[in-house]
Amino acid sequence: MGNDRSGTGAETASGPGYALLLAAGPAGKQRLMDAAAALPQLAAVPPAALLGTPGGASVVQLVDPADPQTVLTHLRTAAAHPGPVLVHLAGQLTLDAKQRLPHMALARTTPRTARYTALPWHWLAAELGRRAPGSTVVIADLVADETVWPALKAAGPSGLAAGLTLYGTVAPAPPKRGAPPKRGVPPKRGLATPDYSRAFAGLLRGAAKRPPLALLHQRAALEAGLGSGPELLLDGSAPGEPYAVPGAAPGPEAAGWAGQSGPAGAAGPVGAVGSAGAAGPAGA
């Protein structure tokens, strides 16, 4: 069962809310976005405004976790919450080398180890997709590396939205820049900045009441200068069927990309620095 295909996100649920703010990325040269820069402004938004819940909300920040099982535990806590839930993701997407399924890179992720060190996207979709319609929204500010961007661009926004109410943006990796590199030294790449997240947070801080999520998304994308470039804008639609609930194994289990069921290993429609994470309540 998908979550709220009407485009209003978690606004149809009542009671105290719960927000999980996840910022993650691999260490060193593999990092494509300054994901943690998304959190200070989001954390400054009053919890009730962030969730649109007059009864308040709990906010948990998870910064550069190293273990996908740690993230899965937090997702399950969010999924079990009886009130409205918002999950905000800032970071980068990659494909695992074996099954070619999208993953969110974590602190220890490398191109060869993504299957075991990154968060499978279908874990996220399965855990949150079981919740009641209208109770859950995912806000994403992501960069897609070269392994996943071509297929994601071909699939369009629905490539990630299976069973989810998903707003935000996914952009290709920033181009390499700077002076011509020395022989044998790859050129440096600039870090993307979470402009969508900052705009989203700024609009919430300035609003007396949270506007409808579809409108909030449109205004955030406009203020972030998005919409005329190569990025994909995720507009809250939730096509496709949800993924199966993930098992305990660290590798992705039987699930296709974009909600297409298939055997483990099936391709999709085409073809993170620190401890386990700084997590804890940030507000109530």
Side-chain angles (χ1 to χ4, degrees), residues 4 63 67 69 98 107 111 130 132-134 157 168 182 200 209 224 226 231-232 242 244 249 251 265 279 282:
D4 185 31
V63 183
D67 180 12
Q69 292 290 342
K98 184 175 182 180
R130 293 181 296 165
K182 298 179 181 179
F200 187 90
K209 180 180 179 181
L226 305 175
E231 67 277 343
L232 296 176

Side-chain angles (χ1 to χ4, degrees), residues 12 44 108 111 264:
T12 59
R108 296 187 302 194

Side-chain angles (χ1 to χ4, degrees), residues 162-255:
L164 296 173
T165 299
L166 180 63
Y167 289 95
T169 178
V170 184
K176 295 177 180 178
R177 63 185 185 184
K182 298 179 181 179
R183 181 177 298 178
V185 178
K188 293 183 178 181
R189 189 196 302 270
L191 282 179
T193 54
D195 296 332
Y196 177 88
S197 297
R198 289 168 171 168
F200 187 90
L203 290 167
L204 283 177
R205 290 201 310 275
K209 180 180 179 181
R210 192 179 78 174
L213 281 168
L215 177 60
L216 185 58
H217 161 71
Q218 292 173 1
R219 292 179 60 189
L222 182 64
E223 290 201 9
L226 305 175
S228 60
E231 67 277 343
L232 296 176
L233 294 181
L234 310 168
D235 62 2
S237 60
E241 295 302 319
Y243 292 105
V245 178
E253 299 299 330

Side-chain angles (χ1 to χ4, degrees), residues 49-214:
L50 187 62
L51 273 293
T53 51
S58 297
V59 181
V60 173
Q61 297 184 52
L62 194 59
V63 183
D64 278 331
D67 180 12
Q69 292 290 342
T70 298
V71 183
L72 181 60
T73 297
H74 283 275
L75 286 172
R76 286 177 170 166
T77 298
H81 186 75
V85 167
L86 179 145
V87 175
H88 184 281
L89 307 173
Q92 66 196 67
L93 295 175
T94 189
L95 289 184
D96 72 289
K98 184 175 182 180
Q99 293 190 337
R100 310 296 292 173
L101 292 175
H103 288 57
M104 184 172 175
L106 302 180
R108 296 187 302 194
T109 300
T110 68
R112 292 188 177 184
T113 66
R115 176 173 165 82
Y116 304 102
T117 61
L119 177 73
W121 187 264
H122 64 266
W123 285 12
L124 169 83
E127 291 299 331
L128 300 180
R130 293 181 296 165
R131 289 176 50 82
S135 67
T136 314
V137 64
V138 178
I139 308 296
D141 194 346
L142 302 169
V143 170
D145 72 14
E146 290 86 349
T147 69
V148 69
W149 176 250
L152 182 57
K153 184 178 180 181
S158 63
L160 295 175
L164 296 173
T165 299
L166 180 63
Y167 289 95
T169 178
V170 184
K176 295 177 180 178
R177 63 185 185 184
K182 298 179 181 179
R183 181 177 298 178
V185 178
K188 293 183 178 181
R189 189 196 302 270
L191 282 179
T193 54
D195 296 332
Y196 177 88
S197 297
R198 289 168 171 168
F200 187 90
L203 290 167
L204 283 177
R205 290 201 310 275
K209 180 180 179 181
R210 192 179 78 174
L213 281 168

Side-chain angles (χ1 to χ4, degrees), residues 9-68:
E11 297 176 31
T12 59
S14 60
Y18 186 95
L20 175 62
L21 310 180
L22 171 61
K29 297 179 181 179
Q30 300 299 325
R31 184 173 292 237
L32 301 178
M33 173 185 274
D34 182 13
L39 295 188
Q41 294 188 48
L42 283 166
V45 176
L50 187 62
L51 273 293
T53 51
S58 297
V59 181
V60 173
Q61 297 184 52
L62 194 59
V63 183
D64 278 331
D67 180 12

